[in-house]
Amino acid sequence: MTSPLDRVDTSKAHSARVYDYILGGKDHYPVDVEAGDAMCRHWPSLPVHMLENRRFMHRAGRFLAREKGIRQFLDIGTGLPTAPNLHEVVQEVAPESRVVYVDNDPIVLTHARALLQGTPQGATAYVDADMHDPEAILNSPEFEALLDVGEPVGLMIIGVLHFILPPDDRRLVRRLLDPLPAGSHLAMTIGTADFAPEEVGRVAQEYARQNMPMALRDLPSTTSFFDGLEIVEPGVTQVHRWRPGAAQRRVADRDIAMYGAVARKP
């Protein structure tokens, strides 16, 4: 019987493992360390940027659970488990919340059990699939078992879209959103070079050198992904500026290369 780890190519860096390494995790390989170190040399603010992207996810998930009454979530590009995970955030607000996680990295799959430890009232599941194959996500037994498309869903696409290149990007987002009913919400973060173009441009070049090409988008292009949706306040903004809490640390705009927003499907 084969293990998910048999699918790991330790000769190539993977975005989830690079992210894990830069944020101080332990589930990565030397090739991911090499790539992460190179990226941080190009832009020393990269760890701050990545941490603020994850904090946006926490705030957006809590907002949807607490203020919008969302009780089921589809999290695309889960990444390696770093507490608190989405289910921990939303189940703290509403213990009955259900979360379906999606990722395509074998190491993430081996950690699925860590992700599945939710509240007794709620439920979590993991789908081994890629955003490029939305049918595999939407037709998965886990999606069909946990998520009721007759009720609003929180679609979370956090830190993923800059790895989805045109012309597939908008089509894939819409394909995931289309089956979800009115009242569903899309929470999404999108990479940009608007605030530190030289440094972020060099990071993007390093990602491309590691066979992980990126598409960085300006504010108008980012905003266009939410066309037809009702964007909630404060609109499309840098992730650290989206509904910051009272204890939010002070972060310079130039240290953040990610836009974020939450929008309602009418």
Side-chain angles (χ1 to χ4, degrees):
M1 183 175 180
T2 61
S3 162
L5 291 178
D6 294 335
R7 291 165 39 202
V8 176
D9 185 348
T10 59
S11 68
K12 295 180 181 178
H14 187 283
S15 58
R17 301 194 306 264
V18 172
Y19 188 89
D20 173 76
Y21 166 66
I22 292 175
L23 288 184
K26 56 182 175 51
D27 298 300
H28 46 261
Y29 293 94
V31 66
D32 306 302
V33 173
E34 178 185 351
D37 285 346
M39 292 169 192
C40 289
R41 285 194 298 271
H42 292 311
W43 191 36
S45 297
L46 187 57
V48 175
H49 154 85
M50 288 183 168
L51 183 59
E52 291 303 321
N53 179 65
R54 187 154 186 88
R55 286 174 171 163
F56 169 91
M57 183 272 286
H58 295 156
R59 295 196 304 277
R62 192 173 294 113
F63 167 79
L64 291 178
R66 179 174 294 150
E67 299 192 32
K68 299 300 180 181
I70 301 296
R71 296 294 180 263
Q72 47 184 2
F73 295 82
L74 178 61
D75 184 12
I76 307 295
T78 302
L80 290 155
T82 304
N85 293 292
L86 178 62
H87 73 276
E88 294 168 309
V89 171
V90 300
Q91 289 179 353
E92 183 179 9
V93 177
E96 70 274 21
S97 297
R98 304 183 302 280
V99 180
V100 173
Y101 291 107
V102 179
D103 209 302
N104 68 331
D105 181 67
I107 289 186
V108 177
L109 178 58
T110 65
H111 286 278
R113 288 182 180 174
L115 289 172
L116 300 182
Q117 302 303 312
T119 62
Q121 303 96 315
T124 58
Y126 177 86
V127 178
D128 183 20
D130 191 303
M131 185 173 170
H132 285 97
D133 187 4
E135 307 307 321
I137 299 170
L138 298 172
N139 296 326
S140 67
E142 295 83 2
F143 180 95
E144 294 178 348
L146 260 66
L147 303 187
D148 176 4
V149 293
E151 298 292 334
V153 175
L155 174 60
M156 316 289 287
I157 305 179
I158 307 296
V160 175
L161 200 65
H162 43 280
F163 295 115
I164 307 295
L165 306 182
D168 290 334
D169 45 5
R170 284 170 174 77
R171 176 185 64 82
L172 292 171
V173 171
R174 288 294 161 175
R175 180 66 189 94
L176 291 169
L177 195 57
D178 282 347
L180 308 184
S184 294
H185 285 69
L186 170 64
M188 189 158 60
T189 63
I190 299 177
T192 183
D194 282 358
F195 301 92
E198 293 185 8
E199 296 91 335
V200 176
R202 289 196 295 269
V203 171
Q205 291 173 1
E206 183 63 32
Y207 267 106
R209 191 178 74 82
Q210 298 286 345
N211 199 33
M212 295 179 284
M214 302 175 71
L216 298 169
R217 299 169 174 96
D218 59 16
L219 182 58
S221 177
T222 297
T223 303
S224 70
F225 279 90
F226 299 93
D227 286 351
L229 304 177
E230 300 167 352
I231 302 178
V232 304
E233 292 296 332
V236 181
T237 185
Q238 283 178 285
V239 289
H240 67 300
R241 293 185 172 277
W242 193 89
R243 296 178 176 258
Q248 179 88 356
R249 58 177 290 184
R250 186 179 296 276
V251 177
D253 289 352
R254 66 179 177 274
D255 291 340
I256 304 299
M258 197 81 78
Y259 285 119
V262 175
R264 178 184 183 274
K265 182 177 179 179

